[in-house]
Amino acid sequence: MKERDSNIELLRIISTLFILIVHCNGWFLREWGGITTWSAGEGMLVGLTRSIIQSITCIGVDVFILISGFYSIKPKLKSIVNLFTILAFFYIGTYLLDVVVSDVTFTWRTLIVNLCAFSRENWFIQCYLFLILLSPILNAFVENYSQKPLLIYILIFLACAFYFGNIHDSTYFYFNEGYSITTFILIYLVGRYLRLYGMNNFNTLSKYKAFFLYILSVAAIVFVRFISKNEAQWLNYNSPLIILSALLFFVLFTKISFKSKFVNMLGASCLSVYILHTCSPIINWFAEYDVYIFTQFPFPLYLLMMLGGCIVIFILAIVLDKIRYLIVSPVLRVIDKLKLMSYE
């Protein structure tokens, strides 16, 4: 088996932490505490710092899909079964935990709903599953297109996604402000183009220039957040600015190269981190902790404690996922030997 590129696995780890941080700094405070980025009484410095943090970390999901596109998804029964076991393990485990520690009443129906993991409501997982199923078609499409027509197609797709998904907000195209399979297809195609053609343009770019361009993209995102009355209209996952920032951040990590089994081990379990922190009661505890430390401690201390909470969730999810893998690995090895749905 080819060893994973540790620089990209490190990028996967950082993008996962980005997702945790942007949820803490934005979603959790807003939904659980009623605290917006520019809430009155926080002060301009706090609001600006939070805006900068959000502008840096909002690319986490796009980076995840870019990585999938860059390396291409090749559906295998083993991979799909492995994904199912991750979902079922965390969904059922957190449900039983919720029953034990909360006022949630156990029902077999809810247990079965969690066992039918792919149909449980989770926008990212369901979109990613559909992306896996579509990937052979997308791969064939990209590989049979020449560079220039493919680039033109992606640019038109990107313009339509931004206009119909953000400006016009058309229901029929189902861009859903970036939370959709349509957006995942677009970002996946960008990743495939980057792998097949785009890296030729970026190989001559030094890591310092790449970093400078990335910082400029972050500054542009901060500026849009500052001047816009409806920043969500301009900064969704299908926004060209967010995709560009994710692309530059990805390119930055291609400028380094190293091998680390430890980093690769962590990177292999990053999806579990996302799943765990969005499951009840973990998400409620995490959000309540986030609101509490924001309201009870000075802002610099809040940032340190928030980052510490993200790291704890990350480590916990990794440990649990390794336990899960030990349980299911015999089954996965048998499936792998059968070579069902294999591209090898």
Side-chain angles (χ1 to χ4, degrees), residues 25-66:
N25 186 50
W27 180 33
F28 290 170
L29 293 181
R30 183 178 64 253
E31 297 299 323
W32 274 262
I35 304 166
T36 61
T37 303
W38 300 98
S39 294
E42 290 183 22
M44 179 61 73
L45 182 59
V46 171
L48 179 60
T49 304
R50 290 186 60 201
S51 179
I52 292 173
I53 292 172
Q54 290 172 23
S55 300
I56 293 172
T57 57
C58 66
I59 63 173
V61 168
D62 284 19
V63 171
F64 237 97
I65 306 304
L66 272 176

Side-chain angles (χ1 to χ4, degrees), residues 210-325:
F211 180 72
F212 176 72
L213 291 174
Y214 165 68
I215 293 299
L216 283 182
S217 72
V218 172
I221 295 171
V222 173
F223 179 73
V224 171
R225 288 186 187 279
F226 187 75
I227 66 171
S228 177
K229 294 181 180 180
N230 181 15
E231 65 181 48
Q233 185 180 37
W234 307 99
L235 299 176
N236 290 318
Y237 294 133
N238 55 17
S239 165
L241 189 53
I242 299 300
I243 294 176
L244 175 63
S245 186
L247 178 63
L248 290 170
F249 195 62
F250 180 92
V251 169
L252 186 60
F253 275 78
T254 64
K255 301 297 178 180
I256 59 176
S257 179
F258 70 99
K259 296 293 183 181
S260 169
K261 291 183 179 180
F262 179 71
V263 169
N264 292 357
M265 179 272 293
L266 295 179
S269 294
C270 278
L271 184 61
S272 297
V273 179
Y274 172 84
I275 296 168
L276 177 64
H277 97 283
T278 57
C279 290
S280 178
I282 303 298
I283 188 171
N284 295 318
W285 293 345
F286 196 17
E288 289 166 4
Y289 164 80
D290 188 50
V291 172
Y292 176 79
I293 61 175
F294 183 85
T295 56
Q296 299 299 318
F297 294 93
F299 185 65
L301 186 55
Y302 159 75
L303 293 178
L304 291 175
M305 296 176 71
M306 180 262 287
L307 180 59
C310 292
I311 293 173
V312 168
I313 290 291
F314 186 92
I315 294 173
L316 177 61
I318 296 295
V319 171
L320 291 174
D321 186 59
K322 297 311 174 186
I323 295 173
R324 183 233 20 127
Y325 187 77

Side-chain angles (χ1 to χ4, degrees), residues 159-217:
C160 290
F162 183 60
Y163 177 74
F164 290 107
N166 293 47
I167 307 302
H168 186 61
D169 195 21
S170 173
T171 303
Y172 305 106
F173 284 93
Y174 192 64
F175 285 105
N176 194 31
E177 299 181 338
Y179 296 86
S180 67
I181 177 59
T182 317
T183 300
F184 276 24
I185 291 173
L186 169 61
I187 300 172
Y188 184 85
L189 290 176
V190 172
R192 291 304 302 136
Y193 179 88
L194 180 65
R195 179 60 180 262
L196 296 176
Y197 306 112
M199 289 310 299
N200 294 331
N201 299 320
F202 289 113
N203 284 337
T204 57
L205 191 69
S206 71
K207 59 183 177 182
Y208 302 105
K209 289 182 179 178
F211 180 72
F212 176 72
L213 291 174
Y214 165 68
I215 293 299
L216 283 182
S217 72

